[in-house]
Amino acid sequence: ELLQTGARSHGLGLKVRVSEGGVAVSGSADFDAMLDWLATAQRDYGLKVQRFSGSRVGSSCQIEMLLMPGSAG
C-alpha cells in the first residue's frame, strides 16, 4: 500500500501488488519518474528489481517488473 501511494505521488499510473515473494508492478509511466520511484523503493524499503520488461508507448513506458527484498549485507 505504501508503494502504491508512493507511485501515485510520483504521478505514476502503476498497479502494485504482492506476488511471488516480492512486489509485482505493472502499468504505464513516465520513465524518469519511474526511475525516481524505484530509487525511493530501494532506499526506503530495500527492494531491488528482480525482473523488468518495458516498451515505449508514445512518451510513456509500458512496464512489467518484479521487485524483491535486497540481500542484507
Side-chain angles (χ1 to χ4, degrees):
E1 193 169 293
L2 291 173
L3 287 173
Q4 184 74 59
T5 301
R8 276 191 223 115
S9 74
H10 278 83
L12 304 174
L14 298 175
K15 180 179 178 183
V16 179
R17 65 184 186 352
V18 175
S19 175
E20 301 178 41
V23 179
V25 180
S26 61
S28 181
D30 174 80
F31 190 75
D32 290 338
M34 182 207 44
L35 289 179
D36 287 342
W37 174 76
L38 280 174
T40 300
Q42 181 176 355
R43 182 190 67 232
D44 293 353
Y45 306 110
L47 296 172
K48 307 238 182 215
V49 177
Q50 177 73 28
R51 186 173 61 233
F52 180 90
S53 173
S55 60
R56 187 174 178 170
V57 179
S59 62
S60 294
C61 182
Q62 185 68 34
I63 62 159
E64 298 280 336
M65 72 177 107
L66 179 64
L67 305 176
M68 300 293 282
S71 58

